């Protein structure tokens, strides 16, 4: 089943620029970053600062994932994709 709505990264759905497996990894990593950033807002909303540790750990992972994208380091992109994929 195909969705007709564009997500926040819709510009990547039909990208022809980089092509291949790396584009898929970049797109998947960006989606995971967005998902984990939503988790960070959840942790930040926990009363009395109870979610601060979880929020700071997730913030660090997101920052490092962004850095791997900026540096186009596919080994680190894969590593942070796997780490972010398992964040709850």
């Amino acid at each position: 089943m195909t969705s007709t709505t564009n997500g926040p990264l819709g510009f990547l759905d039909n990208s022809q620029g980089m092509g291949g497996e790396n584009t898929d990894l970049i797109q998947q990593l960006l989606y995971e970053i967005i998902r984990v950033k939503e988790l960070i807002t959840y942790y930040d909303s926990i009363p009395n600062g109870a979610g601060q540790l979880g929020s700071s750990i997730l913030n660090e992972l997101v920052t490092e994932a962004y850095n791997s994208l900026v540096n186009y380091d596919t080994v680190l992109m894969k590593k942070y994709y796997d780490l972010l994929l398992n964040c709850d």
Side-chain angles (χ1 to χ4, degrees):
M1 183 164 163
T2 318
S3 175
T4 57
T5 59
N6 288 335
L9 299 173
F11 64 93
L12 287 174
D13 290 340
N14 296 320
S15 84
Q16 300 295 324
M18 292 180 192
E21 190 174 307
N22 290 339
T23 302
D24 292 338
L25 177 59
I26 292 169
Q27 184 176 0
Q28 291 171 344
L29 181 57
L30 285 170
Y31 278 114
E32 285 305 311
I33 287 171
I34 290 170
R35 185 184 68 80
V36 171
K37 286 183 76 108
E38 291 173 0
L39 282 174
I40 291 169
T41 59
Y42 168 75
Y43 278 103
D44 285 339
S45 70
I46 298 174
N48 300 324
Q52 281 294 359
L53 178 61
S55 174
S56 62
I57 291 170
L58 293 179
N59 270 317
E60 184 66 26
L61 284 174
V62 165
T63 299
E64 293 299 323
Y66 274 129
N67 287 338
S68 72
L69 284 170
V70 168
N71 295 325
Y72 199 69
D73 186 335
T74 55
V75 173
L76 285 178
M77 281 191 257
K78 177 68 173 138
K79 173 186 172 184
Y80 285 109
Y81 171 73
D82 291 338
L83 287 170
L84 292 177
L85 190 62
N86 292 306
C87 291
D88 294 339

